[in-house]
Amino acid sequence: MPMMLRYMVAAFIMLVAAIFAISPFASTFVRQWSRRDVELRSVLVFNSVRNELANLLAVGATAQIDDLFGRLALDERLLAVGLCDREGSLRNRSKLMPADFSCEKVARTASASFSAIVSDERRLVAGSFPISTDRASGHLVLLHDLTFAEQRSSQVRTWITIALAAVALIGAALASIFALLIVRRWLQSIRQAIEDVKAGRNGGFSRDQDLVFGRHIRDVLQELRETTRSIDATRADWGPDALRLVLAGQLSDAEIIVVSNREPYIHNRATDGITLQIPASGLVAAIEPIMRACGGLWVAHGSGSADRDVVDARDCIRVPPAFPAYTLRRVWLSEQEEDRYYFGFANEALWPLCHIVFVRPSFRESDWDEYRDVNARFAAAVVQEAKRPDPIVLVQDYHFALVPRMVREQLPEATIITFWHIPWPNAETFGICPWKEEIIAGLLGSSVLGFHTQFHCNNFLDTVDRFVESRIDRELASVTVSGHETFVRPYPISIEWPPAAMAGQKSVAACRAAVRAGLGLSDSVRVAVGIERFDYTKGILDRLRAVDMFLSSYPEWIGRFVLFQAAAPTRTKLAAYRNLQNEAECLAREINVRYGREGYSPIFLVVRHFEPEEVFELFRAADVCIVSSLHDGMNLVAKEFVAARDDEQGVLILSDFAGASRELSEALIVNPYDLHSVSEAIGQALSMSGAEQRDRMRLMRHVVRSRNVYRWAGQMLLDAAQLRKRQKIVAMASREPKRVLIRGRFAKLRQVR
Ligand code: G6P
């Protein structure tokens, strides 16, 4: 029942109760008042006729007494007058004396008395007054009819009811008008507060709102305000437009600068001119669509042989070349810088340190020094390119652990969001790094530091706890060092949806036919694919060994199953990578010798760069995709395979040690170190019914579609927006401390500035 109606019903019940409570009291009062009235009149009448009656009685003048009684009875309230003698007989009476009246009915005492009697069904009051002379004595009886009192009391009841109803109605009308005014003001304030939350106007509550709201509502709104970020972040329809909307709505005046080692477009010299390459990099796959949607500036290492030939005087080029959407600013590195900073410290120290695959990291002081210097050069490029004092700087990956602090020192108002694209190991493992404190301090220059999973966030917080003097707030997941607070958050990275490489893809049947024809395979041969950089973290050797075990355990598949392994050469300057490639090629040859025969080799190991369109064609042609990373931050290959399968067929075998396994739980999850489990998973995948494949693929596609890369970036940008608004409030509060209300987390920010 609506509140207003409830109040009206309650008021009506109270009104009826009041009428019922007051009415009997009023009737009694009126009756007593009327009776007292007639008693007084009786006394008056008696007093006025006492002497005359005594005289008439003394002389026995009966006729005159009747006459006197006749005159007295003319009084409208007096019904009848009579005289009872000493014996109790009615000696004289006026005309209207009831026929059934007898002197027995009245008290005949020595003094005046009154009694209520019923006669002829009327309620009467009889006043009895003693009168005596020498000759005779008796009682004068004056009969009053009290029927008028009943009428009077019912009239009073009616008037009381009318008066109460009128008072109640007027009161209710006044109360309603008053309540309506209050509710209108209240609603206006709530509407205003909700609008503030929607628009991200993050202030405290105004004095007015504080007065009007109850504590509960204020808390709810505060909560709403706090959860705006997560509400937005969980929108299922994240795409380029939604991301642009977030930027336009929340960060309309923001300047976005990305800094990464790998550039999104590499220009290389070839015999027939300059070719354009999109590198095989999870980082590039994720950031590029974001920059296409949002625009801005991307600072990266110009690594292509023709990169210098195509840039302007500021080392910039607008990309993508076909439809420019953002600016790529290239930073040049000497061979020594690249060797020590990139191959040395980034890929021989940090990469094996963070990926626990039992490859020993190499820590060389010369590499570290170069790493620091190159970080300083990229930080300087960011500062040089920034047009405002408060850009949003998106620092990418393990190549630039020191950049956040370096930028912070020069642009203290910048919002720096750093994303670590690889795993963060446990504190004990990270502890072997000789420069662990510097690396952590560098990262803590960030406003927000992101990892793929909560697990990696926890590892980072534990590492900070172990090695750096700091204040860690586990509830807020933040670290404060020297007054600067860094929030540590999980942002599971993903791919664009739909992937650009899906545009123009042939049907699955056509892809199957084309790939099988290219490999010289009949349509009945089942194909598994593995596609990645030739990196020891990807578990390529283990995958080949698992295929070996599968074919030896299930020889009926010999001749009917192949693994197509596409491996893009990567970091080939490093011995670990060259050794891996040699070992993998030997192993593939061995397996092919063991199970191959005329026209059949179970392993196709193709070592070259694959363009995204080729990758997607392979995914669409495959029956199974094997991702057997020994350790991986996320692994976008797994998500790309799912995105490629709009026919909802195909089975994903996925390593438990890739971050993607947290989201794609409908894959066949395996331990890549356990060859038997991978071999069995291959068998299970090949015999899985179409219906089961569809059920699993449908669920995984839903996850990849809704948790796409726009959501990943959107979450980070929303966090940046939230942080900037808070900082503005904090700045305002420190200028005008009395006028701005700072609560909760805002208050905390004020303390740490
Ligand atoms: C991983 C790293 C990226 C890197 C990519 C390719 O995904 O997280 O930062 O770009 O590998 O490696 P590369 O050394 O060729 O850039």
Side-chain angles (χ1 to χ4, degrees), residues 141-158:
V141 176
L142 300 172
L143 275 186
H144 283 87
D145 189 350
L146 270 188
T147 313
F148 82 95
E150 288 302 324
Q151 284 163 359
R152 206 187 250 180
S153 125
S154 103
Q155 273 171 0
V156 165
R157 259 201 316 267
T158 306

Side-chain angles (χ1 to χ4, degrees), residues 261-262 280-283 342 347 351 397-399 421-422 533 570-571:
N261 174 72
R262 186 57 67 202
S281 155
L283 177 158
Y342 170 73
N347 287 314
W351 181 269
D397 230 346
Y398 60 100
H399 309 90
H421 289 256
I422 61 176
R533 288 180 306 105
T570 180
R571 308 170 193 170

